Amino acid sequence: MALCFFSNGLKIHSPKVHNLKSTYVFQQPISQNQLHLPLNLSEPTKIYKKKSCFSIKASASPSLETTKTSFRNKNPKDINVLVVGSTGYIGKYVVIELINRGFNVISVARENSGIRGKTSKEETLEQLQGAKICFSDVTDLGVLETSLQNYGSSIDVVVSCLASRSGGIKDSWKIDYEATKNSLLAGKKFGASHFVLLSAICVQKPLLEFQRAKLKFEAELMEEAQNENGVTYSIVRPTAFFKSLGGQVELVKQGKPYVMFGDGKLCACKPISEQDLASFIADCVLSEDKVNQVLPIGGPGKALTPLEQGEMLHRLAGKEPKFLKVPIGIMDFAIGVLDALVKVFPSLEDTAEFGKIGRYYAAESMLVLDPETGEYSADKTPSYGNDTLEDFFAKVLRDGMAGQELGEQTIF
């Protein structure tokens, strides 16, 4: 059952019913005319193969009268922004940022949301105060459309912060592609003319299933923007999040070595805080210069390698630097074993995928790929915001990782 609520608890409505470095190279910003995707990215892997469809059409005969006059001419309080993935790590901050900017925010959430569904309706209403909460299911287009129909309002902009919970194969296609597409279709049916997508910078070099799922939707969204009266887009591709780099804070605090792969210089990033990223995403609602653009974005300051992150953490903790260097070949061996086992035990396919995810993040930088050199470039990775990783580490050393839990993404 899908129910819509104000966040103060009042019910509104109840329903009746491969290393191709020269290929995936994007700079900031990128228009749809500059993007060239290989054809095989429009298909998932063999096991979950779907027909390629680059034309997205909303369901016929919307029940609400909707017009596509430019929402940018309205005051924020008159602009209806639908947020899906609103209870996720970034989504919660996006909702709060949009509310603070005066937008009318409609947040779609599961009845039991959060990590492993531990968050109740009441807790969601409390967390997202100021938004109108629509409890629904983004994985079911019919349910989502019914929920929005019962809500009884048009939509101007959709902001998607959806992301697969684990990066597993089925979950990636269900969330990163299908649920995200459902959000576009439902939003368009009720009048949305702009779609802001939270993607990831790592899709530049798609070796993993969740990256392929994200790219397939991105391609269809861009194609949709070329249609007459089509929805425009802003595709946001952030670098690493702070929380993904905080997993070893407690170890270093206890005097244990900082673990890194190779020489600690394999993967650099310009990490961005959840608040700064939420602010950038909110900018995309009204900023004309972000329309029909692919927007890689990082936090302030220089790019940092794992070695530099470890040195910073030891310094802040007042500990003598200790490092445990793990050969990347160990992960390659483990992945090879898992791939062989999957042929005999198909149920291990997600385990093998998790191994590949870990290997990817251990070796690939979260920076823009330079089209001229085919290498990752810190200089060409845009910076935004004020929050620094050093400040984040200092806070976690003092207060712990409360609110920064990785949940099912711990494998990352």
Side-chain angles (χ1 to χ4, degrees):
M1 178 178 291
L3 301 174
C4 293
F5 295 83
F6 283 108
S7 60
N8 62 10
L10 297 177
K11 182 166 69 174
I12 298 175
H13 289 289
S14 173
K16 295 179 180 178
V17 234
H18 293 287
N19 200 4
L20 299 180
K21 290 191 176 181
S22 63
T23 304
Y24 315 106
V25 179
F26 306 138
Q27 299 182 64
Q28 182 268 349
I30 300 169
S31 70
Q32 62 190 36
N33 295 325
Q34 292 173 296
L35 185 70
H36 300 279
L37 289 174
L39 293 177
N40 62 359
L41 291 182
S42 65
E43 296 290 344
T45 57
K46 236 175 163 181
I47 301 174
Y48 303 105
K49 196 167 186 179
K50 302 174 178 66
K51 291 183 179 179
S52 173
C53 178
F54 281 76
S55 177
I56 300 179
K57 296 182 180 179
S59 302
S61 304
S63 302
L64 298 172
E65 288 188 16
T66 58
T67 59
K68 291 202 174 180
T69 56
S70 177
F71 64 89
R72 293 184 179 87
N73 295 327
K74 304 178 184 178
N75 291 322
K77 66 182 180 63
D78 299 318
I79 298 175
N80 296 329
V81 182
L82 181 74
V83 181
V84 293
S86 60
T87 58
Y89 173 59
I90 299 300
K92 288 182 287 190
Y93 286 89
V94 170
V95 169
I96 293 168
E97 181 68 22
L98 290 169
I99 290 171
N100 289 341
R101 295 191 186 196
F103 293 103
N104 181 34
V105 181
I106 307 162
S107 298
V108 177
R110 291 172 293 156
E111 293 190 359
N112 293 293
S113 61
I115 298 172
R116 298 181 181 89
K118 292 181 180 179
T119 305
S120 67
K121 286 184 184 179
E122 292 72 24
E123 289 171 318
T124 296
L125 291 167
E126 177 68 23
Q127 289 176 359
L128 303 180
Q129 286 190 41
K132 301 175 182 69
I133 315 299
C134 186
F135 290 105
S136 191
D137 183 0
V138 291
T139 66
D140 188 317
L141 179 59
V143 169
L144 180 58
E145 289 183 341
T146 298
S147 301
L148 296 176
Q149 174 67 42
N150 288 328
Y151 177 73
S153 175
S154 62
I155 296 169
D156 296 297
V157 181
V158 177
V159 176
S160 173
C161 297
L162 292 170
S164 57
R165 301 173 185 87
S166 65
I169 296 175
K170 285 184 178 180
D171 194 49
S172 292
W173 286 99
K174 183 178 181 180
I175 304 300
D176 292 305
Y177 175 69
E178 292 178 5
T180 310
K181 182 173 179 177
N182 288 345
S183 304
L184 171 62
L185 292 171
K188 186 177 179 183
K189 178 175 180 178
F190 294 102
S193 57
H194 189 56
F195 193 97
V196 181
L197 174 67
L198 173 60
S199 186
I201 203 166
C202 63
V203 300
Q204 299 173 109
K205 188 176 176 183
L207 305 179
L208 304 169
E209 209 65 23
F210 81 89
Q211 296 165 337
R212 298 183 185 107
K214 286 180 181 294
L215 277 177
K216 180 173 172 62
F217 177 76
E218 284 190 14
E220 294 186 10
L221 180 59
M222 292 175 186
E223 188 73 17
E224 161 67 19
Q226 295 179 346
N227 297 335
E228 185 178 357
N229 296 321
V231 173
T232 59
Y233 64 84
S234 298
I235 297 174
V236 181
R237 291 180 175 173
T239 62
F241 300 155
F242 281 0
K243 75 168 183 177
S244 66
L245 305 178
Q248 299 192 63
V249 173
E250 193 59 35
L251 294 176
V252 170
K253 189 176 180 180
Q254 295 171 8
K256 297 178 180 179
Y258 186 92
V259 181
M260 58 190 184
F261 289 92
D263 61 1
K265 300 178 182 179
L266 287 175
C267 49
C269 64
K270 296 177 74 170
I272 187 167
S273 73
E274 59 273 18
Q275 182 57 62
D276 283 342
L277 178 56
S279 178
F280 185 82
I281 290 172
D283 289 347
C284 293
V285 172
L286 292 178
S287 295
E288 295 279 2
D289 63 349
K290 293 179 176 58
V291 173
N292 289 352
Q293 302 292 326
V294 175
L295 303 159
I297 195 69
K302 67 185 291 283
L304 298 169
T305 64
L307 177 61
E308 291 170 320
Q309 295 165 33
E311 291 172 341
M312 176 191 295
L313 190 50
H314 280 99
R315 174 173 53 79
L316 291 170
K319 302 291 184 180
E320 181 182 348
K322 296 179 183 177
F323 294 94
L324 177 60
K325 298 180 180 181
V326 180
I328 196 72
I330 290 178
M331 298 191 76
D332 292 333
F333 174 78
I335 291 169
V337 171
L338 288 169
D339 281 343
L341 288 174
V342 167
K343 296 176 182 178
V344 182
F345 305 103
S347 61
L348 292 175
E349 63 183 0
D350 271 358
T351 303
E353 186 70 9
F354 297 154
K356 293 172 185 175
I357 291 172
R359 205 272 185 208
Y360 190 101
Y361 283 100
E364 301 292 338
S365 292
M366 298 296 108
L367 300 169
V368 167
L369 275 169
D370 189 327
E372 297 178 359
T373 66
E375 301 294 333
Y376 293 108
S377 171
D379 292 337
K380 294 191 176 183
T381 304
S383 296
Y384 182 92
N386 300 300
D387 299 336
T388 67
L389 183 64
E390 184 170 0
D391 289 339
F392 171 75
F393 278 163
K395 182 178 184 300
V396 174
L397 282 166
R398 182 179 65 250
D399 303 329
M401 285 283 286
Q404 300 285 340
E405 297 83 5
L406 287 172
E408 293 180 70
Q409 295 179 329
T410 302
I411 187 67
F412 286 23

